[in-house]
Amino acid sequence: MSSQVSDTSVDNDTVSSDMLVNNLVYRVGSALSLVTERTGVRYFPQQQQIPSASLTTSTWDLNSGVSYANLCNSYLAFDLSLVSSDSTSTANFGSGSAMNIIRSVILKSRSGTELCRADNANVWSRNYHVNMLSAQYLRREGLIEGWDVLEDGSASTTARVYASQSATGNRRFVLPLARLAPFFNSYKKGQKLPSAILSGMHMEIVFEDHRTAFLGLGTSTQYNGISNYNVSNLSIMIDCLTLTDDTQRALNTEAAEGGLEIVSNQYYVSRMVSPSGETELNMQIRKSVSQAESVSLVILNTSNLLVINADSFAGFAGDATSHNWRLGSLYFPKTPITNTETQQQENYFLTLQTYNKNDMLFEESGVSYTTYANGPYYSLNVCMEKDSGLNYSGLPCNNSRSIESLITFENDDRARTCYAFLNYVSVIRTFIDNVSVAI
């Protein structure tokens, strides 16, 4: 056997590539970090305690100075308790999480530019993250977020909320910022948020009605006594990073000349109420974007909305018998998908395709076929990318080239509330004093 090594060398001609590949280099690597200081900074809203939080607004102004932010390690924390005439009242979040209490999130830069408007954030977050996160995550790490299913299938008491006058007291929940809005989940994983965006950022969080956010448990006396909920000890913990002087100088120069570009996903929601007995749904999404990636249609039971003893976020199980989508002259797919209420295999596969789960076999979806076809996680999804394996391959749409759903339902007397979420790419260009957003 030859004992020679390659004459191709690396590291200033001192280490052969063969030795490097075979892990036979015994030297300490160079320090690559450009961060001089890292600390977790806690920010508070203008009103930290919000009694009777239904339909109220929490206002935040973040002052981070020159720090950059690692949003993957940042989170929103708060305590919850129920306002109830019965001290034994309890509730959970049904098929959702503590994100149920957040109706919308609005983000603005210090110059007043709107960075993100996440309407119906609780409906979007529940549908998106239950498909993106694995069932193992939801049953383990997801307990601190309010997901209520354990590995053995039983209900978790960790996700329950109790009456404020009960002996149990407040229940604390922690939500990663990525749950609040897609803005906090950068298109480029691990990319830090520039200080020019974070410093002076204005955020508004609107809380949901208690009858929609919670699923009352126990007897009718217990859940009918629930009249509101309290939010207390509100705070945001941000993982702040201080860069070296040379790095700050280089980034500030780039920001002054051409701007720092941050690519993030955004969504636009179109809402429609389909009356009982209606068998066809033709929703049109008239939003002008240059990179439309996908559309997710969440179908909810109208009779379960604003009802404390019903899961307001549970979708109809296997509700569509035929569906496809149209963008201009393009059809997705060209031949409509036909199903029965008990046979939804093709729709489930298209859902996996939309969330790119067919290419990531070891990053499985949290939605099994059983919970999709027969459970609360039913939705209709379509991928509009030209190549799902490549970034920035979405299709343009506008008022003259709108997206339309062509869906047929089973003929019954159920009224439906439909949310169509158009997911698209936005580019946020950050300068020293202002921010511009292109979609």
Side-chain angles (χ1 to χ4, degrees):
M1 180 180 294
S2 173
S3 61
Q4 295 181 349
V5 296
S6 171
D7 58 357
T8 302
S9 58
V10 295
D11 193 13
N12 297 327
D13 297 331
T14 59
V15 179
S16 71
S17 59
D18 288 349
M19 295 179 66
L20 185 66
V21 171
N22 286 273
N23 201 19
L24 295 174
V25 177
Y26 300 94
R27 295 180 182 175
V28 178
S30 302
L32 301 178
S33 177
L34 299 176
V35 177
T36 60
E37 182 180 350
R38 175 187 176 188
T39 183
V41 180
R42 192 178 297 273
Y43 296 93
F44 301 97
Q46 295 181 4
Q47 186 179 0
Q48 191 178 357
Q49 316 295 332
I50 306 180
S52 302
S54 291
L55 304 180
T56 60
T57 301
S58 176
T59 304
W60 306 68
D61 290 293
L62 308 182
N63 298 303
S64 60
V66 297
S67 297
Y68 282 57
N70 184 357
L71 297 179
C72 297
N73 295 328
S74 304
Y75 59 87
L76 170 71
F78 52 87
D79 294 337
L80 278 182
S81 64
L82 300 175
V83 177
S84 176
S85 58
D86 190 332
S87 61
T88 63
S89 296
T90 61
N92 62 12
F93 303 106
S95 59
S97 67
M99 184 63 197
N100 286 10
I101 70 169
I102 298 179
R103 170 180 280 193
S104 64
V105 178
I106 301 174
L107 299 172
K108 296 181 180 179
S109 69
R110 61 186 177 185
S111 60
T113 303
E114 186 172 279
L115 303 174
C116 175
R117 177 177 291 270
D119 294 325
N120 301 112
N122 43 14
V123 181
W124 166 83
S125 182
R126 172 194 170 277
N127 180 71
Y128 178 81
H129 289 104
V130 79
N131 282 283
M132 287 297 296
L133 302 175
S134 67
Q136 186 179 36
Y137 179 93
L138 298 178
R139 293 171 179 173
R140 295 184 178 183
E141 296 91 334
L143 292 178
I144 65 174
E145 300 180 28
W147 298 100
D148 194 38
V149 180
L150 295 177
E151 290 184 78
D152 58 1
S154 61
S156 166
T157 57
T158 305
R160 291 190 181 179
V161 184
Y162 299 87
S164 56
Q165 67 269 35
S166 67
T168 308
N170 294 344
R171 182 55 55 87
R172 191 159 185 80
F173 297 97
V174 174
L175 292 175
L177 290 186
R179 305 290 182 268
L180 272 65
F183 170 83
F184 295 113
N185 187 16
S186 176
Y187 207 88
K188 186 177 182 180
K189 302 302 180 185
Q191 190 171 54
K192 311 302 183 290
L193 190 68
S195 58
I197 295 182
L198 183 63
S199 181
M201 179 186 291
H202 177 81
M203 180 169 64
E204 296 179 5
I205 296 177
V206 180
F207 293 104
E208 184 59 89
D209 188 283
H210 70 280
R211 294 168 294 178
T212 298
F214 295 97
L215 171 60
L217 305 175
T219 65
S220 59
T221 302
Q222 291 176 312
Y223 58 71
N224 285 331
I226 301 174
S227 59
N228 215 313
Y229 61 97
N230 300 323
V231 180
S232 57
N233 297 323
L234 264 170
S235 66
I236 288 180
M237 180 71 78
I238 294 183
D239 188 11
C240 291
L241 312 173
T242 302
L243 306 181
T244 62
D245 293 341
D246 291 340
T247 306
Q248 288 273 21
R249 187 182 304 110
L251 291 176
N252 289 339
T253 301
E254 185 178 352
E257 294 177 352
L260 303 177
E261 294 182 350
I262 299 293
V263 182
S264 68
N265 287 327
Q266 303 282 4
Y267 72 83
Y268 170 80
V269 58
S270 178
R271 181 178 181 271
M272 178 178 179
V273 177
S274 178
S276 59
E278 190 72 33
T279 59
E280 294 185 355
L281 178 67
N282 298 105
M283 294 183 66
Q284 288 191 348
I285 303 177
R286 296 183 177 276
K287 176 70 173 178
S288 297
V289 299
S290 58
Q291 296 281 339
E293 293 190 313
S294 64
V295 177
S296 296
L297 180 66
V298 180
I299 307 168
L300 305 180
N301 191 337
T302 304
S303 61
N304 289 343
L305 304 180
L306 299 176
V307 178
I308 189 62
N309 63 329
D311 186 355
S312 299
F313 296 91
F316 280 121
D319 194 38
T321 56
S322 173
H323 91 281
N324 64 337
W325 300 79
R326 182 178 64 84
L327 172 57
S329 60
L330 302 176
Y331 288 83
F332 304 90
K334 183 167 293 186
T335 302
I337 302 295
T338 57
N339 303 272
T340 65
E341 288 200 8
T342 58
Q343 300 291 327
Q344 296 285 323
Q345 286 87 347
E346 287 189 69
N347 287 340
Y348 181 63
F349 189 88
L350 292 177
T351 298
L352 296 177
Q353 180 190 87
T354 301
Y355 291 96
N356 204 25
K357 293 301 178 180
N358 295 327
D359 295 336
M360 300 184 295
L361 299 181
F362 299 100
E363 297 181 22
E364 67 277 5
S365 170
V367 179
S368 66
Y369 176 69
T370 302
T371 57
Y372 177 83
N374 304 316
Y377 298 127
Y378 183 78
S379 62
L380 298 176
N381 302 272
V382 57
C383 179
M384 293 184 174
E385 293 179 294
K386 288 173 282 189
D387 190 334
S388 59
L390 299 176
N391 294 332
Y392 320 122
S393 61
L395 295 173
C397 64
N398 47 52
N399 287 335
S400 61
R401 196 170 183 261
S402 62
I403 299 174
E404 182 182 8
S405 66
L406 306 170
I407 302 173
T408 302
F409 295 117
E410 185 71 18
N411 187 13
D412 55 34
D413 294 330
R414 295 178 295 182
R416 304 170 181 84
T417 299
C418 304
Y419 296 90
F421 294 96
L422 169 63
N423 301 291
Y424 61 91
V425 177
S426 70
V427 179
I428 302 172
R429 185 171 288 106
T430 306
F431 300 93
I432 296 297
D433 297 324
N434 61 353
V435 176
S436 64
V437 179
I439 61 174

